[in-house]
Amino acid sequence: MQIIDAANLDYRAVNEALRSAETDCTIKGCCGQRFIAAGMSDRNLTIEGIPGNALGAYLNNANITVKANAQDAVGDTMNEGKILIHGNIGDAAGYAMRGGKIYVQGNAGYRAGIHMKAYREKFPVMIIGGCAGSFLGEYQAGGLIIVLGLHKGHKRIVGNFPCTGMHGGKMFLRGSCEDIAFPGQVTARCAATEDLEQIREYLSEYCADFGYSADTLLSDPFTVITPDSKNPYKQMYVAN
């Protein structure tokens, strides 16, 4: 295991040290450096501190664990691998991700899962343990988004305009979600037993990572949202 002390390094130096390493790495003293592990393959990385924007962008079959919060665009266009966040994340997490997993213990900002897509064997999964901001799953074209709403208090599990332009994939929100206004081109319904079986594998992995009980979570009601229109944009942009 190689240790990289990022306390006095800019993002270029941090990433150069990471690229030149020949083994798994731990970055200590991280404080907002951008583009960490962009395009990284076949490596395990632990980050102590808060990484900046575009952590794990274009990630290829690597694993990243962050022991704190992360900023915007986590996993931007990632292909494969896993990003584990022991904290909250900023906006646009998983932008156009086409494979791999992003598991967040805390909350997510706006536009998580925007343009998420799936292709052949690639199937992206994002699980948010807390709440998500507005425009969750905007233009979602594939993959799976799960929001658990743990410790949300009186907050709604998701902000305004979820699933806007959604035309593929599935979203699961823990709870009945009767207080959430979904757009006309999606169907939101109570998840049946067979629906929950589709997410059990991923939720069990998430719970093992963060110390929760999958059986306890799955005993609660979930709302599953799927697109029901092949032309989701017509209702948003066409007058008649």
Side-chain angles (χ1 to χ4, degrees):
M1 175 71 70
Q2 180 169 332
I3 306 297
I4 300 172
D5 185 355
N8 297 307
L9 301 179
D10 67 7
Y11 76 93
R12 293 183 181 88
V14 171
N15 282 293
E16 181 58 34
L18 186 59
R19 285 192 293 268
S20 62
E22 297 181 354
T23 185
D24 295 342
C25 293
T26 294
I27 298 176
K28 294 181 177 289
C30 190
C31 187
Q33 289 93 340
R34 298 170 289 167
F35 312 126
I36 291 177
M40 189 172 74
S41 300
D42 302 319
R43 193 84 60 82
N44 296 313
L45 171 63
T46 300
I47 299 176
E48 298 179 6
I50 300 176
N53 292 355
L55 168 72
Y58 310 107
L59 195 69
N60 282 305
N61 197 29
N63 297 302
I64 301 173
T65 299
V66 179
K67 297 293 185 69
N69 299 330
Q71 295 182 3
D72 298 342
V74 171
D76 184 345
T77 325
M78 68 183 287
N79 295 307
E80 197 172 353
K82 183 176 178 181
I83 301 177
L84 198 66
I85 308 291
H86 288 264
N88 304 316
I89 53 174
D91 298 338
Y95 178 90
M97 69 180 293
R98 49 202 179 202
K101 302 168 184 175
I102 299 176
Y103 291 173
V104 182
Q105 187 172 26
N107 301 319
Y110 291 174
R111 289 189 160 91
I114 180 175
H115 285 300
M116 180 187 285
K117 62 198 72 175
Y119 181 67
R120 293 184 177 176
E121 77 282 358
K122 301 288 188 183
F123 187 78
V125 178
M126 179 183 294
I127 303 181
I128 299 165
C131 301
S134 297
F135 296 100
L136 174 69
E138 186 178 27
Y139 307 123
Q140 184 182 351
L144 177 64
I145 298 174
I146 304 171
V147 185
L148 299 175
L150 298 169
H151 318 299
K152 69 184 180 68
H154 298 292
K155 291 180 62 177
R156 289 193 310 175
I157 194 170
V158 63
N160 298 322
F161 313 115
C163 311
T164 300
M166 181 183 186
H167 55 286
K170 286 187 177 182
M171 183 183 297
F172 285 78
L173 304 178
R174 182 165 158 263
S176 61
C177 300
E178 295 173 351
D179 57 344
I180 297 173
F182 294 99
Q185 84 273 3
V186 303
T187 296
R189 58 177 174 81
C190 182
T193 301
E194 53 268 29
D195 296 312
L196 296 179
E197 286 303 311
Q198 296 175 12
I199 66 172
R200 179 179 290 276
E201 174 187 350
Y202 304 111
L203 200 55
S204 296
E205 181 183 19
Y206 177 94
C207 288
D209 288 330
F210 292 118
Y212 300 122
S213 167
D215 288 337
T216 298
L217 292 177
L218 287 169
S219 68
D220 293 333
F222 276 76
T223 299
V224 57
I225 303 99
T226 54
D228 62 4
S229 171
K230 295 182 179 179
N231 187 4
Y233 310 107
K234 180 178 180 181
Q235 298 178 49
M236 295 192 299
Y237 302 123
V238 179
N240 295 314

